[in-house]
Amino acid sequence: MEFRILGPLEAWHDGLELELGAGRQRALLALLLLHADEPVSSEQLIDGLWGESPPASATKVLHNYVSQLRHALPAEAILTRDFGYLIRAAPTDADDFERLLEKARRQPPREAAATLRTALALWRGPPLADVAYDGWAQAEIARLEELRLAALKERIDADLNNGMAARLVPELEALVIEHPLHERLRAQLMLALYRSGRQSEALASFAEARHQLVDELGIEPGPELQDLQRKILAHDPELGPLPKRTTGRAARRKYGRWLGAAGVLLAAAALSGVGLLVFGGFRGSRVVVVPNSVAVIDPRTNRLVADIHVGNTPSRVVYGAGAAWVLNADDRTICRIDPNTDTATTFAAGPDPTDLAAAPGTLWVMNGYARQVLRVDPSTGAVDETIGLRPPGGDAGGFGYIAADTGALWLSWTNSTSAYGEQFAWRVDLRHRGAPRFLGTHAGGAIALGAGSAWIRGPTTLLRIDAQTLQQSQITIPMPEAFPPGNWGDVAVGFGSAWTSDTGNGALWRIDIPTEEPTRTIPVGIAPNGVAVGDQSVWVADSAGGTVSRIDPTSNKVVATITLGSVPRDLAYGDGLVWVSVD
């Protein structure tokens, strides 16, 4: 049994949401929950439900509300006590939120940021929304709202420590508008602006804060804001501004100039007999791609032709709607890369994006921790639809994956409460809209579409679901080691086979589609992750080895290895090029 009060009141039991009724009946349950394990007198309950003017039948109506709630809740949830009632204590999402907040305060910044995102994702709206205007609920509502704001500020501090200043600016600007006299939020905005190379805007933000404080409260900014202003004016090294980045076509020009210089150095080295390590796009040479970028490979030459800077920790990359799209996990943004100019345009991706998919005219974003899917207009970056997911018995935190075509969305999700977690899958019919159709609990990893089926990765299996009949079959992928959620590998379909990477064993599995049998294991580095099909080849990104392998599906052999030098996470084929996200 679980109660949820961080939003409209909900009660869940054995993975199902219970019907709680409406109006004062829901208010009664909320009032009892605020006094869990404490007897509450009928007089106190009547006063809370009707105030100073209860009807003559208030006692009878109260008994009826209690009876209805007893039918809705598990047996013995509400007990009768002398002159009143008592509800047995049960876990609430508010309890989970406070537990995660305390856990984050004992963690280093990167882990704390992830924990705080999980905590904040528990919020579905204003707390105790059903009784937002009842006097007896105000103290608890204020306490929870204050805790939420504290968690938000601590998550922003953690993100600032993790080097995400530029991504935080839009969020902080909105928060400062909402809380114009909150000096800590203003200080965070100033610091984020300064670290993004926007010193003048940081100082203007201080001036705006001072004007508001003086005009509305008659006070000067506090010591924290004044000290931060002085440090910004002095370019204090303690503030640590981040370097500016070049993007798009500028990166390609820089790369081309470097290749020319490398050619001169090679010639000089050959004449002098001095060995030279080459960092460039030549086959068989050593390439160093800048982290937080998308590397572009030309399959005609197996050479790097561009290195496009994007956001922090680029993970999934897909191609569709005339562009390459990359998900920046830590920034919680998406970059649209124009293949003609190599320019990147950035927009928000939701609270905790974990995957994205491109279909004709549409971009879909999975927010795993929030358990929701967003439909995004590719031309504007605006969210025009949200689809919520309700895993049976699932926790708030988790990893989500998505694949899309013109007729359907395929979704998978794995909670983060254990090594593998519970796994779930759904299908959304885009032609006849309705709630996501639950497909079971057999796989929760990466998804690929092909051969009339959806293919979903599990820890040691590949689940095949027929797109028409929804008939399922599980294909075992032999793996001697256990992997945490998110590290099971990727999937692609082509050349009469499904291809899935084996992250722990440095191999790519080939599964024959007609027989559904693994037929080949192809060595592809240390920890292969992303897989894509294109240009009569299968492409695999090896995150640990820093390489991209090109495989000939006729011979099942690696025919080219492109060394990037950083951490390639994922890849996609489109516009005759291979696009690789590099962390």
Side-chain angles (χ1 to χ4, degrees):
M1 183 69 192
E2 178 192 6
F3 293 104
R4 298 180 182 177
I5 64 174
L6 300 180
L9 180 62
E10 293 180 0
W12 290 74
H13 184 61
D14 291 337
L16 299 175
E17 184 176 1
L18 306 181
E19 178 56 52
L20 300 176
R24 287 191 173 92
Q25 183 170 304
R26 298 176 70 87
L28 170 62
L29 177 57
L31 205 163
L32 288 171
L33 283 173
L34 293 190
H35 297 84
D37 277 339
E38 299 176 10
V40 186
S41 69
S42 295
E43 289 77 9
Q44 186 178 351
L45 294 172
I46 290 171
D47 183 61
L49 295 179
W50 285 282
E52 297 180 356
S53 303
S57 59
T59 301
K60 183 178 179 180
V61 175
L62 174 64
H63 292 165
N64 183 58
Y65 287 159
V66 172
S67 177
Q68 294 297 322
L69 286 174
R70 281 173 166 163
H71 280 93
L73 302 176
E76 303 297 318
I78 299 178
L79 304 177
T80 300
R81 289 292 181 262
D82 292 340
F83 311 110
Y85 302 95
L86 174 149
I87 192 167
R88 292 182 183 273
T92 70
D93 52 357
D95 296 330
D96 293 338
F97 170 75
E98 293 187 57
R99 175 181 54 80
L100 290 168
L101 179 56
E102 289 303 315
K103 177 182 177 181
R105 288 168 174 169
R106 300 189 299 269
Q107 293 178 315
R110 184 168 293 275
E111 289 79 1
T115 300
L116 289 166
R117 287 193 182 95
T118 302
L120 291 165
L122 294 172
W123 287 69
R124 297 168 290 108
L128 293 163
D130 305 86
V131 292
Y133 301 105
D134 290 352
W136 53 266
Q138 297 310 303
E140 181 63 8
I141 290 173
R143 186 186 75 87
L144 290 172
E145 288 282 16
E146 191 64 29
L147 283 175
R148 181 182 182 276
L149 187 58
L152 190 58
K153 290 185 292 185
E154 290 177 32
R155 196 223 77 214
I156 291 169
D157 279 337
D159 284 346
L160 283 168
N161 286 328
N162 291 331
M164 302 179 194
R167 190 268 297 168
L168 289 170
V169 170
E171 179 183 11
L172 283 165
E173 287 176 335
L175 286 169
V176 164
I177 291 173
E178 184 180 355
H179 306 277
L181 303 178
H182 200 296
E183 295 193 34
R184 180 61 192 144
L185 290 173
R186 179 71 69 169
Q188 289 176 321
L189 174 59
M190 290 170 59
L191 184 58
L193 286 167
Y194 180 76
R195 289 183 177 178
S196 302
R198 299 160 66 176
Q199 179 190 13
S200 61
E201 293 175 66
L203 294 171
S205 184
F206 173 83
E208 180 185 40
R210 182 181 181 279
H211 176 75
Q212 290 175 327
L213 289 166
V214 170
D215 281 1
E216 297 189 30
L217 301 179
I219 61 173
E220 291 287 338
E224 181 183 14
L225 279 183
Q226 294 190 36
D227 183 57
L228 181 57
Q229 182 208 27
R230 286 192 293 270
K231 288 181 177 179
I232 290 173
L233 288 168
H235 292 278
D236 192 320
E238 181 183 331
L239 300 180
L242 299 179
K244 294 182 179 180
R245 296 175 176 173
T246 57
T247 58
R249 186 173 288 174
R252 180 175 288 186
R253 287 198 301 267
K254 179 179 178 182
Y255 178 77
R257 290 195 300 269
W258 192 94
L259 285 181
V264 174
L265 291 172
L266 281 171
L271 290 173
S272 65
V274 177
L276 181 65
L277 180 61
V278 178
F279 296 88
F282 304 104
R283 180 176 176 179
S285 65
R286 175 80 182 275
V287 181
V288 173
V289 174
V290 178
N292 296 327
S293 67
V294 169
V296 186
I297 297 171
D298 186 346
R300 294 171 299 178
T301 61
N302 296 324
R303 289 174 59 176
L304 184 75
V305 295
D307 181 13
I308 305 164
H309 291 261
V310 288
N312 285 315
T313 318
S315 52
R316 179 68 77 184
V317 60
V318 298
Y319 195 93
W325 307 84
V326 60
L327 173 63
N328 305 306
D330 282 348
D331 279 359
R332 302 204 298 276
T333 61
I334 294 171
C335 284
R336 179 190 185 277
I337 301 174
D338 186 324
N340 298 314
T341 64
D342 291 345
T343 54
T345 305
T346 303
F347 54 90
D352 283 289
T354 54
D355 201 12
L356 74 157
T362 307
L363 189 69
W364 297 91
V365 183
M366 167 66 80
N367 279 276
Y369 284 91
R371 298 181 300 173
Q372 62 179 208
V373 178
L374 308 179
R375 186 177 71 178
V376 177
D377 184 335
S379 61
T380 65
V383 175
D384 52 23
E385 183 179 0
T386 301
I387 301 172
L389 301 177
R390 288 192 173 181
D395 292 336
F399 302 84
Y401 300 86
I402 187 169
D405 56 25
T406 54
L409 290 179
W410 300 85
L411 315 172
S412 67
W413 187 84
T414 299
N415 71 29
S416 57
T417 57
S418 62
Y420 287 134
E422 296 176 281
Q423 304 159 45
F424 308 96
W426 298 264
R427 180 183 185 272
V428 179
D429 189 332
L430 297 178
R431 295 188 178 93
H432 306 91
R433 286 303 178 88
R437 179 168 179 175
F438 183 58
L439 300 177
T441 60
H442 303 303
I447 312 173
L449 304 180
S453 301
W455 307 77
I456 308 178
R457 193 70 157 86
T460 58
T461 62
L462 185 62
L463 176 66
R464 180 182 185 180
I465 306 176
D466 187 280
Q468 299 300 319
T469 66
L470 301 185
Q471 181 178 351
Q472 301 181 18
S473 54
Q474 287 199 71
I475 303 163
T476 299
I477 306 299
M479 283 192 282
E481 300 180 28
F483 308 110
N487 289 328
W488 303 338
D490 200 10
V491 191
V493 180
F495 312 109
S497 300
W499 307 80
T500 183
S501 51
D502 182 342
T503 305
N505 297 301
L508 178 72
W509 284 88
R510 181 173 190 168
I511 292 92
D512 180 66
I513 288 177
T515 65
E516 297 184 348
E517 292 290 334
T519 60
R520 295 279 181 174
T521 54
I522 305 168
V524 283
I526 301 171
N529 197 1
V531 183
V533 171
D535 203 75
Q536 299 302 309
S537 302
V538 180
W539 304 82
V540 183
D542 177 12
S543 297
T547 64
V548 171
S549 297
R550 181 176 190 169
I551 297 165
D552 180 352
T554 303
S555 64
N556 294 308
K557 293 182 178 179
V558 175
V559 295
T561 299
I562 300 95
T563 304
L564 302 183
S566 293
V567 184
R569 294 293 186 187
D570 189 37
L571 34 71
Y573 180 84
D575 195 42
L577 299 167
V578 179
W579 307 79
V580 189
S581 61
V582 180
D583 186 359

